[in-house]
Amino acid sequence: MNTPLSHIRLLDLTHMLSGPYAGMILADLGCDTVKVEPPGTGEGTRRLLEDDPNNSIKGMGAYFFTLNRNKRSVAIDLKSDEGRKYFFELVKVADVVLDNFAAGVTSRLGVDHKALTSINPGIISCTVSGFGESGPNFKRPAFDQIVQGLGGGMSITGSGPEDAVRAGIPIGDLAGGMFAVMGIQAALLSKAQTGEGQHIDISMLDCQISLLNYMATMYSMSGDIPTPIGNSHFVHTPYNTFNTADDQIIIAVIGDKFWPAVVELLGIEELDTPKFDTAKARLAEKSFIEGRIGDVLIKETADHWLMELEKARIPCARVNNMAQALSDPQVQFRNMVVELEHPEGGTANVPGNPIKFSETNDENFTSPPLLGVHTKEVFREWTDMTDEQITAGIQAGFIAGGD
């Protein structure tokens, strides 16, 4: 495979969303990604939606189906001493071990960074958790909406001060996964220079604070606590969603250069005045300006207005629903919707890989694995263990899987 990370071996101990998402990205980038799961039950999301006929294929729900493409599965009992011995055979030749266990779990299992380095001194390990591995509250349980709430972003999302809402996509989990990928790649570059591995501690809450970016700086400068303002903007006007005769559209006037074109296109007499020529002046009368624009836009369809707005080179877009977003020609052209097969038959479309390379550009998406189906294969490829040793482990229940 012509992919940038095809020389990297990754042991993926993750479950649910943040960790599996990081593992999926790394697998898409070419890592030989081996998902380590408990025998019998497998990773938790194997069961999620399994009985939902609309959101599963052959008992594999949308969560697991999406997040575990390009991975192989081995089943190992990490709670047993003998199971860990088998796991450590893989650690010996791995480059990265990724998990998103709750605080303290890797230590209790005996697979924390200290234990891993005793087996492989150059290993890179990464843990994604709600609050990291230090601090006064790091042992608290956390899920996506918990960190969205604590991280401040939820307080500025919604239609008003009494209507804070979480982001529609699970940005708390997904951001943890994305920052984990960045950390792992940085550690791999460092190891290439120094020969030394290290541990990466990713806090989902830290990631949410990072995403506040300039909004946090504005608060520290002004002392003003921001509140939700819907889809409008605190500097630019008009910058909002607007109803048309069918779909909602967005008009985004940044600065002053687009404003004259808006006035000319919409022909609203009250807005055709020099007093609205600057962004500051328009912001002072945002409700009036955007209300008058809305009165005009509602008279025609989204297609009509988007064509006219694009012709006038005014920044605009439709507020796409899921079907519209996934069928967008730009999205389709960029191979951002790909067909994924279930290993036992059946397919579904899933989001593609947004990272595009000019040279190492192979894109191949293999089926999410059945539980433990690659156990023998991986131990044969990665270790010097004999078939007899592998079979003995399977018979004893320390590992599980087929040929």
Side-chain angles (χ1 to χ4, degrees), residues 12 160 164 199 280:
D12 178 348
H199 180 63
K280 185 176 181 180

Side-chain angles (χ1 to χ4, degrees), residues 144-175:
D144 174 80
Q145 191 165 334
I146 299 297
V147 297
Q148 283 200 41
L150 288 172
M154 191 169 161
S155 76
I156 54 175
T157 305
S159 60
E162 306 302 322
D163 187 39
V165 298
R166 68 175 178 84
I169 58 175
I171 193 64
D173 279 319
L174 298 179

Side-chain angles (χ1 to χ4, degrees), residues 62-129:
Y63 277 75
F64 191 90
F65 187 87
T66 304
L67 292 161
N68 292 288
R69 67 193 188 206
N70 291 337
K71 301 180 184 181
R72 296 190 286 177
S73 172
V74 303
I76 304 177
D77 180 10
L78 293 179
K79 293 181 179 180
S80 71
D81 292 339
E82 289 300 318
R84 282 191 297 276
K85 289 179 182 178
Y86 279 86
F87 174 67
F88 288 145
E89 289 298 313
L90 301 179
V91 170
K92 287 179 182 178
V93 292
D95 298 290
V96 180
V97 177
L98 169 67
D99 78 86
N100 64 318
F101 292 129
V105 171
T106 56
S107 296
R108 289 200 300 272
L109 289 175
V111 296
D112 58 339
H113 187 68
K114 182 178 179 181
L116 298 178
T117 53
S118 70
I119 304 298
N120 179 347
I123 199 73
I124 292 167
S125 63
C126 178
T127 296
V128 183
S129 61

